[in-house]
Amino acid sequence: MKMYSDYHVHTNYSDDSTYLMEDVIKDAIKMKMDEICFTDHVDYGIKKDWDEGPIEYLYGQPQVNVDYPKYFKEIESLRKKYPKITIRQGMEFGVQVHTIPRYQKLYEQYDFDFIILSIHQVNDQEFWTQDYQKEKSQQEYIEGYYQEMLNVVKKYKNYSVLGHLDLMTRYDEIGNYPFEKVKSIITEILKTVIQDGKGIEINTSSHRYGLKDSTPREIF
């Protein structure tokens, strides 16, 4: 049975979106979707939880995780208001090895339908600001990124899919790094994910932006 759904959706609960939850649902219904899952960002190590003190800003962006009680309350309210579409609750966990205990605690605290596991930082350094890449060779930051990913998937298992495997290519100002140099570690990552019975997200945003190739570029 075919199903039209979107399980990677950010709203104004994430620092990279201003999309209101209700507007997302209205648009999904217009598009005749069967299901939608909200997966807003949590990035421990870089961001505080909403109740941990004053909100900090980086380049004008609020550095704060999801307001969990408000988030789940709004989802439940919208489920009642829009019964014609299935609304699921999830999050995108930006995990680093040293933050795993915090994600485990969060996972046990709430009832999740779906979790995207992503690597958004290494050593508490952001990719999009170039802080992680700074003063490193391309080999160091690319291979360091995949090594962190491998370490995480070997240690953390409470997730549904591994998100945007090649995220670093978006922030690599030097250009494409030869796939053959990271093939072995990527193979090990994929084997670990598959053996654990998890999914692998294929980023198709390149089609939306009119780019010539899909991502991950050379894996398939």
Side-chain angles (χ1 to χ4, degrees):
M1 183 181 73
K2 290 184 179 180
M3 180 178 293
Y4 185 23
S5 61
D6 190 343
Y7 271 51
H8 194 150
V9 179
H10 300 317
T11 72
N12 59 312
Y13 285 93
S14 294
D15 62 6
D16 62 351
S17 175
T18 59
Y19 208 174
L20 299 179
M21 272 190 176
E22 187 163 11
D23 289 343
V24 173
I25 294 169
K26 287 178 179 178
D27 288 343
I29 292 172
K30 288 179 183 177
M31 297 168 68
K32 298 182 179 179
M33 285 189 176
D34 301 297
E35 291 190 7
I36 195 164
C37 183
F38 292 108
T39 52
D40 281 291
H41 285 296
V42 176
D43 290 290
Y44 288 125
I46 288 292
K47 301 172 188 172
K48 296 179 180 178
D49 274 341
W50 60 278
D51 58 352
E52 289 184 320
I55 297 175
E56 299 176 1
Y57 287 79
L58 179 63
Y59 299 105
Q61 302 242 31
Q63 299 299 288
V64 64
N65 291 317
V66 174
D67 183 337
Y68 310 121
K70 186 177 179 181
Y71 180 77
F72 291 113
K73 184 178 180 180
E74 184 168 358
I75 290 174
E76 184 58 32
S77 175
L78 292 170
R79 281 172 169 166
K80 294 175 181 177
K81 188 173 181 179
Y82 296 96
K84 65 169 59 178
I85 184 170
T86 299
I87 302 170
R88 302 202 181 276
Q89 56 191 31
M91 284 183 182
E92 182 173 5
F93 286 180
V95 183
Q96 303 173 74
V97 171
H98 73 278
T99 63
I100 286 176
R102 293 205 68 178
Y103 286 102
Q104 182 60 34
K105 182 178 179 180
L106 178 62
Y107 182 83
E108 293 171 354
Q109 189 174 356
Y110 295 101
D111 183 20
F112 292 102
D113 296 312
F114 193 78
I115 296 292
I116 301 171
L117 170 61
S118 298
I119 307 299
H120 291 148
Q121 303 89 21
V122 176
N123 297 326
D124 290 342
Q125 294 175 315
E126 295 274 26
F127 306 150
W128 67 275
T129 62
Q130 299 294 311
D131 287 340
Y132 170 64
Q133 298 92 308
K134 192 183 303 179
E135 298 181 356
K136 295 183 181 71
S137 67
Q138 186 183 38
Q139 179 179 5
E140 288 174 328
Y141 65 71
I142 291 290
E143 296 184 8
Y145 164 73
Y146 284 115
Q147 186 61 55
E148 181 75 7
M149 185 180 296
L150 177 60
N151 293 342
V152 168
V153 298
K154 283 185 174 292
K155 293 177 181 291
Y156 188 70
K157 308 298 181 180
N158 291 322
Y159 69 98
S160 308
V161 300
L162 177 64
H164 43 57
L165 177 66
D166 67 340
L167 177 66
M168 183 54 67
T169 63
R170 181 188 301 176
Y171 304 111
D172 189 350
E173 295 183 344
I174 294 178
N176 287 344
Y177 188 71
F179 175 66
E180 288 302 319
K181 293 186 176 182
V182 289
K183 182 177 180 180
S184 60
I185 190 169
I186 289 176
T187 299
E188 191 171 355
I189 290 168
L190 296 178
K191 284 181 178 178
T192 302
V193 171
I194 292 169
Q195 286 171 358
D196 289 338
K198 310 300 183 182
I200 300 166
E201 179 185 60
I202 305 300
N203 187 346
T204 60
S205 61
S206 56
H207 296 287
R208 184 168 69 252
Y209 295 117
L211 303 180
K212 294 181 178 179
D213 57 355
S214 299
T215 53
R217 281 182 171 80
E218 300 175 75
I219 294 176
F220 301 99

